[in-house]
């Protein structure tokens, strides 16, 4: 019950308004950013609320709050909306099945990202294996779990959480042959493998990537072709092995270019926002998990002639994209209990989500956004009539909030944006810079002008591991033909480039602090210089001082200045950049900072509101005078 109360309060905080004081950001989500509690707490504080609701409904919250250690592969909220509704309803309506699905996302040991290696197969708490793949794209590595993209990693007191963009569906441990048999549309392929003497190899060896033609694909071969192959075992074997690559290449691991096949030679693959092809055959279903690899279903048979590159003898045109805004799930939590792993269940996976598309295409910005599942932003860009502009020559840099970031905005605020196209356009252009800012140019305290005319601030913390834009966490970078996209976890709100002093004046609860700055001769400095981090005591905090203390300080400007500068850090520390330790003060000396599941404290003051953006730094509101 205690956990449910904490979770409910935290969820209320996380869903509160993103605008206040004339569209100024509401920063009461401080606990979400600072907490380092048990796994359910960290999931909740980082907005993974659909998973938390299902964990509680399955009665697994208490188990995941225990000593562990656990590794949790945590799907984002929109990953659940991408699951076929009938499959999701079947999971939610059967607690035993739900437990099995949740347990499939849990490993009962610690697997930090540093231990990930290609083809790692950890055993899940449900008893079935998972497959980790690491693909090196040159500038960065792409990590997948059963084909789902690892987005970021979170620490908890009893384990580690890897956030992924896909719901993992447990099925009976099945090798490639068994998966083909269960699907019921690969009878000809299975027969051909048997005739060629390849069944045992494909069943027991590996890992392999199989590009599997359907029965319809074989029926589309020219008359007599299949009969001719069946009577020529070696030629048949060569054709079949032209569909097999060594290693596990999930769709995220495929890029446009040549794929070496076991038959010898290469088959050309093309990966784009409208789908993927293999030897001109269209991939009509991707990422079918098998215990010894992965299967991609194709609509053509690849025929490799002597001295010629492999080609498909039949293909169909790609279907146009159908962009639909995501819907949020509303699932009520239930009781808590320990993890009870059970037998595997046979659940057919739903339709693949849009964000399983390859990240390294050279499409324009709207295409790459769509391909990577940032559908809410795309819908708003279209509504604001900005799609053509962002499809132009550029170059542009786009700071792209995730769908979850928009879901966390107060519905009334979001509705106001939808009703006012000019306001919507201003908010969206605040996320765009009219030049390219590749990762190599990003540096701490970089300030750049947005197309809305207001500045954005980039900060780098923890030796480059944490990058923020106005305090929003940068999740990953995507390349487009006309610029670069940085995916972020927060919607940015423009506020006319106010300085720290002007922001305080607009808040109406810092009258005493502003007066004190005047008396100490600091107002002009904090209005024009910087960057600074200000831990700002409210009027109530000053009122709580011992009787006469404030008057004594006002009468001694030099001492007052020392006290005020004990609240100022001479650089920008958004909440993402603060951890337990010490901060150097503008007056000299240090202040101790404690970050835990209760929030953050500087000295003996609690931070009660965080990440109020100013043109020359950031403000965190505190409840005591230091």
């Amino acid at each position: 019950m205690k956990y449910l109360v904490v979770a409910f309060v935290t969820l209320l905080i996380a869903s509160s308004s993103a605008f206040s004081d004339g569209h100024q950001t509401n920063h009461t989500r401080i606990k979400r950013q600072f907490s380092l509690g048990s796994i359910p707490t960290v999931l909740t504080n980082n907005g993974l609320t659909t998973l938390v609701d299902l964990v509680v409904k399955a009665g697994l919250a208490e188990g995941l709050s225990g000593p562990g250690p656990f590794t949790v592969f945590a799907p984002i909220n929109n990953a659940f909306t991408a699951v076929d509704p009938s499959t999701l309803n079947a999971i939610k309506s059967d607690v035993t099945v739900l437990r099995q699905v949740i347990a499939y996302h849990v490993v009962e040991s610690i697997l930090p990202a540093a231990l990930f290696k290609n083809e790692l197969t950890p055993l899940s708490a449900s008893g079935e294996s998972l497959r980790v793949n690491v693909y090196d794209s040159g500038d960065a590595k792409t990590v997948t779990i059963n084909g789902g993209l690892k987005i970021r990693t979170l620490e908890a007191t009893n384990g580690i959480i890897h956030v992924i963009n896909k719901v993992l569906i447990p099925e009976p441990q099945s090798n490639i042959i068994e998966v083909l048999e269960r699907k019921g549309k690969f009878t000809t392929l299975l027969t051909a493998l048997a005739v060629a003497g390849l069944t045992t190899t494909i069943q027991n060896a590996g890992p392999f990537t199989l590009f599997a033609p359907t029965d319809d694909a074989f029926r589309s071969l020219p008359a007599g072709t299949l009969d001719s192959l069946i009577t020529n075992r070696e030629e048949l074997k060569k054709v079949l092995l032209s569909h097999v690559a060594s290693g596990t290449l999930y769709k995220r691991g495929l890029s446009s270019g040549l794929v070496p096949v076991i038959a010898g030679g290469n088959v050309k693959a093309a990966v784009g926002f409208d789908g993927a092809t293999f030897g001109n055959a269209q991939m009509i279903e991707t990422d079918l998990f098998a215990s010894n690899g992965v299967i991609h279903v194709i609509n053509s048979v690849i025929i490799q002639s002597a001295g010629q590159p492999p080609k498909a003898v039949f293909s169909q045109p790609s279907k146009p994209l159908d962009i639909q805004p995501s819907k949020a799930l509303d699932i009520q939590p239930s009781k808590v209990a320990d993890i009870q792993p059970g037998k595997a269940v046979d659940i057919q996976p739903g339709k693949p989500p849009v964000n399983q598309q390859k990240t390294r295409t050279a499409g324009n910005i709207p295409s790459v956004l769509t391909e990577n599942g940032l559908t809410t932003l795309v819908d708003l860009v279209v509504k604001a009539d900005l799609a053509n502009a962002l499809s132009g020559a550029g170059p542009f840099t786009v700071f792209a909030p995730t769908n979850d970031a928009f879901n966390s905005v107060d519905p009334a605020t979001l509705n106001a944006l939808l009703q006012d196209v000019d306001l919507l356009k201003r908010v969206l252009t605040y996320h765009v810079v009219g030049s390219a800012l590749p990762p190599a140019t990003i540096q701490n305290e970089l300030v750049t002008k947005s197309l809305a005319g207001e500045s954005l601030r980039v900060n780098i913390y923890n030796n480059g591991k944490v990058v923020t834009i106005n305090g929003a966490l940068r999740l990953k970078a995507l390349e487009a033909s006309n610029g670069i996209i940085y995916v972020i976890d927060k919607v940015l709100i423009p506020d006319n480039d106010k300085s720290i002093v002007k922001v305080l004046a607009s808040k109406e609860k810092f009258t005493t602090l502003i007066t004190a700055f005047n008396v100490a001769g600091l107002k002009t400095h904090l209005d024009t210089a910087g960057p600074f981090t200000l831990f700002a005591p409210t009027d109530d905090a000053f009122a709580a001082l011992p009787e006469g203390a404030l008057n004594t300080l006002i009468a001694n400007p030099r001492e007052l200045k020392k006290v005020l500068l004990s609240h100022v850090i001479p650089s920008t520390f958004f909440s993402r950049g603060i951890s337990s330790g010490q901060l150097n003060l503008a007056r000299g000396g240090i202040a101790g900072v404690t970050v835990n599941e209760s929030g953050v404290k500087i000295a003996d003051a609690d931070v009660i509101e965080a990440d109020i953006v100013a043109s020359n730094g950031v403000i965190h509101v505190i409840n005591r005078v230091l």
Side-chain angles (χ1 to χ4, degrees), residues 479-617:
E479 292 184 6
S481 60
N482 60 338
I484 192 163
I485 300 164
Y486 294 109
V487 182
I488 58 176
D489 70 344
K490 175 181 172 184
V491 178
L492 308 178
I493 308 300
D495 200 36
N496 297 317
D497 276 356
K498 295 176 182 175
S499 68
I500 284 174
V501 171
K502 291 182 174 63
V503 171
L504 293 174
S506 72
K507 288 289 187 176
E508 298 182 354
K509 57 183 176 184
F510 300 104
T511 305
T512 308
L513 180 59
I514 293 173
T515 300
F517 283 147
N518 265 322
V519 172
L522 290 174
K523 183 177 179 181
T524 299
H525 189 63
L526 290 172
D527 195 29
T528 58
F532 302 115
T533 300
L534 173 65
F535 291 91
T538 62
D539 291 337
D540 288 342
F542 278 101
L545 286 171
E547 186 175 354
L550 180 57
N551 290 335
T552 300
L553 287 172
I554 293 294
N556 187 342
R558 179 175 293 182
E559 187 63 27
L560 176 62
K561 184 175 183 178
K562 289 182 181 179
V563 170
L564 293 175
L565 290 178
S566 297
H567 297 75
V568 180
I569 311 298
S571 56
T572 311
F573 279 92
F574 284 94
S575 59
R576 289 283 189 182
I578 297 178
S579 56
S580 293
Q582 297 175 331
L583 291 174
N584 295 317
L585 300 172
R587 61 167 286 182
I590 57 176
V593 177
T594 304
V595 179
N596 55 37
E597 61 182 358
S598 299
V600 63
K601 294 176 75 76
I602 178 167
D604 59 351
D606 294 314
V607 175
I608 57 177
E609 190 175 352
D611 292 348
I612 302 177
V613 180
S615 61
N616 61 336

Side-chain angles (χ1 to χ4, degrees), residues 34-69:
F34 283 122
S35 291
L36 183 62
S38 66
I39 283 170
T41 301
V42 175
L43 290 172
T44 300
N45 292 345
N46 282 273
L48 298 160
T49 51
T50 302
L51 177 59
V52 172
D53 290 340
L54 293 176
V55 165
V56 175
K57 183 180 179 68
L60 300 178
E62 186 174 338
L64 286 175
S65 300

Side-chain angles (χ1 to χ4, degrees), residues 251 270-276 282-283 318-321 357 361 367 371:
K251 193 172 182 186
V271 182
F273 74 91
D274 56 348
Q282 186 181 17
M283 295 185 207
S318 301
K319 296 181 179 179
L321 282 178
Q357 301 289 349
T361 77
S367 298
E371 167 199 341

Side-chain angles (χ1 to χ4, degrees), residues 5 37 131 213 288 291 444 479 526:
V5 171
R131 185 177 296 275
L288 300 183
S291 60
N444 193 41
E479 292 184 6
L526 290 172

Side-chain angles (χ1 to χ4, degrees), residues 6-25:
V6 172
F8 180 67
V9 171
T10 308
L11 287 168
L12 286 178
I13 292 172
S15 62
S16 60
S17 172
F19 288 7
S20 62
D21 297 327
H23 308 304
Q24 173 66 29
T25 306

Side-chain angles (χ1 to χ4, degrees), residues 100-178:
Q100 189 72 10
V101 172
I102 298 298
Y104 190 50
H105 293 75
V106 180
V107 174
E108 295 178 297
S109 61
I110 289 287
L111 285 175
L115 293 183
F116 285 165
K117 60 181 181 179
N118 196 40
E119 305 294 0
L120 178 69
T121 54
L123 189 67
S124 73
S126 70
E128 293 106 7
S129 294
L130 301 162
R131 185 177 296 275
V132 177
N133 288 98
V134 181
Y135 305 110
D136 194 342
S137 58
D139 295 334
K141 290 184 177 179
T142 298
V143 177
T144 65
I145 297 86
N146 286 18
L149 179 68
K150 182 181 83 71
I151 298 172
R152 57 175 169 149
T153 297
L154 305 169
E155 294 183 4
T157 55
N158 61 337
I160 195 164
I161 300 164
H162 299 294
V163 181
I164 59 176
N165 72 341
K166 175 184 176 182
V167 178
L168 309 179
I169 306 294
E171 295 195 25
Q173 284 295 96
S174 304
N175 58 51
I176 290 174
I177 296 296
E178 290 169 332

Side-chain angles (χ1 to χ4, degrees), residues 232-297:
N232 187 336
R233 178 171 169 171
E234 288 304 311
E235 186 63 26
L236 175 62
K237 185 175 181 179
K238 182 179 178 182
V239 168
L240 293 174
L241 291 180
S242 295
H243 295 75
V244 183
S246 181
T248 310
L249 292 174
Y250 281 96
K251 193 172 182 186
R252 286 280 181 181
L254 281 171
S255 56
S256 296
L258 298 178
V259 178
V261 293
I262 292 178
N266 304 292
V267 176
K268 185 178 180 179
V271 182
F273 74 91
D274 56 348
T277 59
F278 179 76
N280 295 323
Q282 186 181 17
M283 295 185 207
I284 56 178
E285 191 174 357
T286 61
D287 293 349
L288 300 183
F289 179 83
S291 60
N292 64 332
V294 66
I295 301 167
H296 304 299
V297 183

Side-chain angles (χ1 to χ4, degrees), residues 367-389:
S367 298
V368 175
L369 290 172
T370 301
E371 167 199 341
N372 282 273
L374 299 161
T375 51
T376 303
L377 177 59
V378 171
D379 291 340
L380 294 177
V381 163
V382 171
K383 184 175 181 65
D385 198 24
L386 295 174
N388 286 339

